[in-house]
Amino acid sequence: MRKIVQIVLAAALLVPAAAWAQQKGGVVIRSVSEVEVKQKNAEGKEEVKRVDATKTKVLPGETVIFTNYYTYSGDKPATNVVIKNPVPDHMIYLDGTAAGAGTRIEFSADKGKTFGTAGKVTVRSADGKERRAAAADYTNIRWTLEKPLNKGAKGSVTFRAKVK
Amino acid sequence: MNTRTASIIVGLLLCLVTALAAPQGAAAATAACTGIGNTASVAYSVAGAAQTPVSSNTNTITVGNKVDVVVTTTDASPGPAVVPNQVDVLLHYTITNNGNANQRYQLSAVDLATGVTTSVFVGNQTVTDAVLVSAGTATTGDNAGAALATTATVAAGGTLNVTIKATMAAPPLTDGAYDVFALRARSLKVDGTTLEANGSSTIDSAAGTCTADVVLGDGAGTDDAVAGASPDGSHSARSAFHVVLNNLSVSKSSAPYNDPINGTTSPKAIPGATMEYTVVISNPGGSSATAVTVTDILAGTLTPVTGTPTWSSTNGGNVPCTNQAVANIASGGWACVGTGWAGSTLTATIPTLLSGETATILYQATIN
């Protein structure tokens, strides 16, 4: 069910370089990084708590949980929604940790040129031979939403990576 | 027969032999102080028209400092063999900075002369004096046997080789005894004096100098600064001087050289015959033996040949030695040795017998 409607807003006319028809109230995405710490609760029981990684110490070998929260406030449904997140420098993607409800998750081992589902990504070795990419080879992750976003929709996608 | 006997350690020197080796391999940990930023983006269409992709905020993580040091010894158990009076004997240790910042260490040579029960190196001898040298500068001696210390900086992922250098004491030392030394590296803050501890601290790393959180992450060594508390920012390893006295071996054989009837052709051991005695001394020890003195007292049925014997050709000792024995030392060839005959007593001295070397001593006597 895809209706094609041409909407030309004044704002778009002011930016002729942008050929898109940008509507007001689009997708907003917010990235959060957290680490898990073990703490003792009031009853003296050990529990795992997530804390803001930007406000604590992160050491080599430790795992960071990245979560991208999105909201949509446009009037008309947003289609072809693709969230991209390069694996940050100095980090290694941890296999099987990318998640996102209602999304198709793909990976790239060539900085986003080509994508494939987990285990089907190839990478070229130094000797020019193609081989199957390991999770540690992944450079980019993308989540393709399977359904359009309606006004007020919100959700999140996540992955974990380890500091080298 | 006088073997070289032994007694132990006089001088102890701590020498920094190599400095700041480069980090090895690609597996080096991310440098402390490094900022890791993450930004996500989203692309979408509305009503079939692609919209300008939207980026998220960038959240930046600062990598903290994991302090992790490992000390190992490269000496094979049970440690280098030493003999009394031996100089410049070395124990070898390697300090590896497995942390992700450049780290200053307090290095201590800990003498474990007493109470050592858990080491692969067992037993002990007493240290009477020790001197610490760091980069060529000697500090005072260590008559009390207390830990000696200096400081050194090792780059993240780098190694530093450290030796403890000692002079063995005069004899007597007990064969098979050990003197165990632990080398301990204890992490210091950038100021070079305060001990590193968990918490916020100034860090010097490949990513620059910053203030970041320090987490002690070292394992337990044999003789760490804080016993039983790991991680404590320190690590240690043991090696030992191992006293191995050179127990020389000696064997003696004889053969008729000349008899009054047959001369030198198939001589027999009959009265009036000249016998040639061969004494073989070997040094199976790990170091040279010096002033090896062989003494032989002839039985009353023999009279020494005190003149200038002619030696059997098989022994090749055509060196004229009057009233003396002749010796073939592998490293020096045939020579007259010792003070020779005094009555029926022969004294032959080998100046130096190298490790693994054999000396052959010849002398003659006639059967009365």
Side-chain angles (χ1 to χ4, degrees), chain A residues 125-138:
Chain A
S125 307
D127 60 4
K129 279 188 183 152
E130 241 181 31
R131 63 173 173 85
R132 184 146 300 169
D137 297 320
Y138 294 167

Side-chain angles (χ1 to χ4, degrees), chain A residues 20-23 26-27 29-31 33 54 57-60 66 68 78-86 88-90 164, chain B residues 29-30 34 36-47 50-52 54 56-57 59-61 63-65 100 213 215:
Chain A
W20 300 293
Q22 192 76 20
Q23 67 156 8
V27 176
I29 186 159
R30 189 168 56 91
S31 176
S33 57
T54 63
K57 55 187 173 269
V58 180
L59 299 177
F66 293 98
N68 298 315
T79 55
N80 302 331
V81 181
V82 180
I83 300 166
K84 290 182 177 176
N85 200 143
D89 288 345
H90 308 290
K164 282 184 196 165
Chain B
T30 305
T34 301
I36 300 177
N38 186 54
T39 311
S41 66
V42 58
Y44 63 105
S45 299
V46 173
Q51 306 293 298
T52 305
V54 180
S56 75
N57 58 305
N59 59 70
T60 303
I61 303 159
V63 177
N65 178 203
N100 60 336
D213 281 304
V215 176

Side-chain angles (χ1 to χ4, degrees), chain B:
Chain B
M1 179 85 31
N2 180 13
T3 68
R4 226 179 146 208
T5 47
S7 149
I8 226 173
I9 308 207
V10 175
L12 172 69
L13 309 167
L14 185 69
C15 298
L16 307 178
V17 212
T18 61
L20 297 182
Q24 304 154 344
T30 305
C33 308
T34 301
I36 300 177
N38 186 54
T39 311
S41 66
V42 58
Y44 63 105
S45 299
V46 173
Q51 306 293 298
T52 305
V54 180
S55 290
S56 75
N57 58 305
T58 299
N59 59 70
T60 303
I61 303 159
T62 304
V63 177
N65 178 203
K66 185 183 182 186
V67 171
D68 190 358
V69 58
V70 173
V71 181
T72 55
T73 179
T74 49
D75 295 326
S77 181
V82 296
V83 292
N85 292 327
Q86 193 169 349
V87 296
D88 296 347
V89 202
L90 303 177
L91 297 180
H92 302 82
Y93 304 87
T94 300
I95 297 167
T96 304
N97 177 5
N98 285 333
N100 60 336
N102 303 331
Q103 192 71 52
R104 194 152 188 84
Y105 298 106
Q106 180 187 66
L107 308 181
S108 308
V110 186
D111 179 14
L112 299 162
T114 55
V116 178
T117 55
T118 57
S119 173
V120 291
F121 304 109
V122 294
N124 63 73
Q125 289 290 108
T126 304
V127 170
T128 55
D129 187 37
V131 177
L132 179 72
V133 172
S134 172
T137 309
T139 59
T140 54
D142 175 39
N143 291 309
L148 304 163
T150 186
T151 61
T153 301
V154 183
T159 59
L160 176 68
N161 293 331
V162 176
T163 56
I164 291 174
K165 188 178 184 180
T167 299
M168 300 300 118
L173 286 182
T174 309
D175 190 26
Y178 295 85
D179 197 353
V180 182
F181 279 84
L183 184 82
R184 177 196 295 154
R186 192 170 195 187
S187 304
L188 297 174
K189 289 185 187 294
V190 172
D191 66 14
T193 51
T194 317
L195 294 173
E196 196 73 274
N198 289 319
S200 184
S201 182
T202 304
I203 294 165
D204 168 27
S205 86
T209 302
C210 75
T211 299
D213 281 304
V214 171
V215 176
L216 301 182
D218 52 276
T222 50
D223 302 281
D224 289 356
V226 185
S230 179
D232 65 347
S234 77
H235 199 256
S236 51
R238 290 177 179 179
S239 185
F241 297 112
H242 181 209
V243 178
V244 180
L245 301 183
N246 280 353
N247 290 318
L248 303 181
S249 71
V250 59
S251 65
K252 182 178 174 181
S253 60
S254 63
Y257 173 61
N258 189 352
D259 76 36
I261 297 162
N262 301 306
T264 55
T265 308
S266 300
K268 301 289 183 295
I270 56 174
T274 300
M275 301 296 289
E276 187 169 281
Y277 290 87
T278 304
V279 176
V280 177
I281 300 157
S282 53
N283 175 15
S287 54
S288 302
T290 54
V292 179
T293 303
V294 177
T295 307
D296 204 340
I297 301 166
L298 293 185
T301 51
L302 292 165
T303 301
V305 176
T306 56
T308 306
T310 303
W311 306 106
S312 55
S313 59
T314 50
N315 285 313
N318 292 319
V319 175
C321 294
T322 304
N323 195 38
Q324 266 185 311
V326 68
N328 182 28
I329 308 156
S331 55
W334 290 97
C336 305
V337 291
T339 52
W341 292 104
S344 301
T345 302
L346 177 79
T347 303
T349 305
I350 307 294
T352 302
L353 194 58
L354 301 178
S355 170
E357 198 175 44
T358 297
T360 303
I361 297 173
L362 303 180
Y363 61 90
Q364 292 179 353
T366 52
I367 299 170
N368 296 338

